[in-house]
Amino acid sequence: MTNTTPRAATNKANFKANAHPAHPHLRKHWRNFGIIAHIDAGKTTLSERILFKTGEIHRTGEVHEGNAAMDHMDLEKERGITIGAAATRCVWNGHEFTLIDTPGHIDFAIEVERSLRVLDGAITVLSGVAGVQPQTETVWHQAEKHGVPMIIFVNKMDQVGADFARVTEQVRTHLGARPVPLAIPIGAADEFTGVIDVLQQRFLQWDVKGNMTVSALPAELQAQAQAAYAYAASVAAEANDALTDAYLANDTLSHADILQGLRALTLARKAVPMLAGSAYKNAGIEPLLDAVIDWLPAPDDRAAPVATLNGDSVTVATGDADPLAALVFKVTHDEHGSLAFVRIYGGSLHEGETIWNASLDTSVRIGRLYVVHADERTGTTQSGAGSIIAIANLKDALTGQTLASKAQPWTLETIHAGEPVVALAVEPGNGTDRAKMLAVLDKFRREDPSLRLESDAETGETVLWGMGELHLDVVLERARREAAVDIRVGAPHVAYKETMGLSMVEAEGKLDKQNGGKGMYARVVVRLELLDAKDGEFAFANVVKGGVIPTAFFPAVEKGVQQALQQGPLGQKVTGVKVTLLDGDFHAVDSNEMAFIIAAKEAVLTGLRKANPVLLEPVMKVTVDAPAINTGDVIGDLQKRSGRVLGITENTGRVEVVADVPLTKLFGHTTDLRSLSQGRAFASAVYARHAACDVEEASFV
């Protein structure tokens, strides 16, 4: 680790004004990273301490007091949770950080997804008491999907029940990672006295004001520190042949060699540096900031992204003078208009220039550019490759769009939101407010890709889909406040799906219309098979031979198949089905694309009806943390909700109960849980899968 002497950001004002200008040689000193975790692990508290230690703020706010700088939305302050990912900039030891604090609640998973899509590294925060929790696993796997290198900070070592060794083992077994402890806490709860700095073999402590002191290791800690150093050296030696040879020759490695080896392994996601402390007590922050520099990547350390250009995959050039390649990863609206958050992978953005929105195939003008600190903005005139910047009032901007040049209109991979699982029918309290209600909900839909707004053609209802009760509750409360519109809601409904009850069927679809003149003719024969869950929701194959159907009509057949799967015999989206085109027939004059679309759709729906369709409902993996005395009540409540208990773990007077529960049975669970435990229990729910349910018990939107 580098020098851990506290220092303020003396060049902060100059840094913020320039906003990562076009100086390629400085990019090795940049770090774009996020903080991810399960809810209540202490992410926002840690973010506050990082801002304080780097001199960005001069007093720390607290989540429970509603004055945390990163939780700037009124609802965040009132509820004590992070709802939207918040970005900020700060400086530490000559390095410039862009930090994004993400929500921990599963209902706001899109905020984590789009942040990880554009960040270079991440800090995963674990509670020293609770350890690896369900949402920890979810965000960890999200980071894995995007290849994001990570370091771990074990927080809350000042609390009763904290156990660094237990959490380290959970990282290994639950997350499948290889933890390398580099800042090891001594003691826990009231006996937490500081951390061992493993690589520099010294003892770090913090007073009540958060001031750090450095001292020699006490004799009783030296054996533990030396063993941790030896382990770090043995891991680092695996990075390359030269380090392996040096390790075998000396049975150890130098501090510099370990830095080099562990950095390479961390960037390759083959090792995870692990540190510990107490964010609330300002303990462990300086070593963590140094760890960000030592172990997390600079923009140029990450592989250049791949874009699509004229149907081909091409690698983006990442210099400031290269063609522009930037991704819009978030859009927000306030009283000043819209703000589009953008990650620049290649090229530069300049205030006032005209660029190309490759996703919309149109030109757009760049207005004001801003560096953002939570809800504050600092104007800048330009921003270069590797930086994260905000653009004011970017026309028609939506999450996932690519900004490029007209001469090089490549598109980057977009950002994928999860399928919403809960819906509410909504209507204005006052009939004259309908237009106002729809306008504000559409604004939120444009901000949040995990929201869906629909109009039911049969009932005339407006239906709002989201990721959970909390997600929709927050959206509707924001609508009431920001648009001053009263919104009434109906009972919640969930996103059912359907699949085949038989493993395989074959079916035919035929269209033969002759009304005089040119007719409509197509015949399609398909085989429907159940897919394994690991193979996805849908697959299409074509084994037609001998020209029985002209190749020009194959896309029309696939389109008809996909249309049929959007709404099966039970009225729900079909999942887990492979459709294979086996045979067919055409007419030289009467066949056309529309005929084959209709015939293919009929063939698939006929097959689905023959296959004894099965209704599927979303099942959530629920984790309840409660006082041990409430174990029986917690289990009884879950079983009353048709829950299946998967495991029970006791730890220091508390119990963790994990169960699978149908989402339809979870409405009101949080309120009931609070009541039965006198407010001392809390729960989290993560989508697990869709499972078969009784059609007669289902309630459809």
Side-chain angles (χ1 to χ4, degrees), residues 65 84 104 107 118 124 128 134 156 200 213 294 310-311 316 343 431 527 542 567 592 598 604 671 680-681 683:
E65 294 177 2
D107 282 20
V118 299
T124 299
K156 302 189 176 184
Q200 299 201 52
T213 58
D294 289 338
N310 299 324
V316 169
R343 166 65 190 261
R527 179 174 64 235
N542 178 8
Q567 186 173 1
N592 55 38
I598 295 171
V604 172
T671 301
R680 298 173 61 203

Side-chain angles (χ1 to χ4, degrees), residues 16-247:
K16 290 184 71 174
N18 283 289
H20 288 342
H23 297 308
H25 65 282
L26 294 179
R27 278 204 294 271
K28 66 180 181 180
H29 298 301
W30 298 355
R31 299 292 184 271
N32 298 317
F33 67 97
I35 299 183
I36 60 176
H38 185 95
I39 190 171
D40 202 38
K43 298 180 312 305
T44 301
T45 301
L46 178 60
S47 297
E48 289 291 305
R49 272 46 180 189
I50 288 175
L51 295 181
F52 177 70
K53 291 289 187 179
T54 58
E56 185 68 29
I57 59 176
H58 300 293
R59 68 176 298 274
T60 56
E62 305 297 346
V63 173
H64 60 274
E65 294 177 2
N67 59 358
M70 298 297 275
D71 284 347
H72 56 83
M73 193 186 301
D74 287 343
L75 281 173
E76 291 177 318
K77 297 177 186 294
E78 294 169 13
R79 297 177 182 237
I81 61 172
T82 301
I83 293 171
T88 191
R89 290 262 186 94
C90 55
V91 178
W92 180 255
N93 195 24
H95 287 69
E96 303 167 358
F97 293 169
T98 297
L99 163 65
I100 295 182
D101 177 29
T102 66
H105 200 287
I106 186 63
D107 282 20
F108 308 109
I110 182 60
E111 296 289 338
V112 182
E113 175 68 18
R114 55 185 171 190
S115 297
L116 289 172
R117 173 70 173 78
V118 299
L119 291 171
D120 299 319
I123 299 172
T124 299
V125 183
L126 303 179
S127 163
V129 180
V132 175
Q133 297 172 274
Q135 182 64 357
T136 313
E137 297 183 42
T138 300
V139 297
W140 186 272
H141 294 313
Q142 282 179 282
E144 281 186 326
K145 180 180 72 174
H146 294 295
V148 176
M150 287 184 284
I151 56 180
I152 289 173
F153 182 73
V154 181
N155 194 23
K156 302 189 176 184
M157 289 306 304
D158 60 314
Q159 293 192 4
V160 175
D163 187 333
F164 183 77
R166 173 173 53 82
V167 176
T168 303
E169 183 60 24
Q170 289 179 348
V171 169
R172 186 176 291 109
T173 58
H174 293 18
L175 301 179
R178 189 181 192 183
V180 183
L182 297 174
I184 301 175
I186 300 303
D190 292 340
E191 297 180 359
F192 172 57
T193 57
V195 303
I196 296 173
D197 179 349
V198 171
L199 296 190
Q200 299 201 52
Q201 293 286 287
R202 56 187 188 172
F203 193 42
L204 310 179
Q205 294 176 286
W206 290 266
D207 62 22
V208 293
K209 294 183 178 180
N211 297 313
M212 188 181 76
T213 58
V214 180
S215 59
L217 282 170
E220 65 272 17
L221 297 182
Q222 290 181 5
Q224 182 181 1
Q226 290 166 6
Y229 185 96
Y231 177 70
S234 69
V235 174
E238 300 176 15
N240 57 56
D241 290 344
L243 290 177
T244 301
D245 292 343
Y247 180 77

Side-chain angles (χ1 to χ4, degrees), residues 8 47 58 127 130 140 186 218 249 254 285 287 306 322 327 345 370 399 449 506 534 562 567 589 595 653 672:
S47 297
H58 300 293
S127 163
W140 186 272
I186 300 303
S254 68
I285 311 304
V306 174
D322 290 316
L327 185 73
Y345 290 99
Y370 290 106
T399 295
E506 291 186 6
K534 62 181 176 59
Q562 291 178 336
Q567 186 173 1
V589 176
D672 290 349

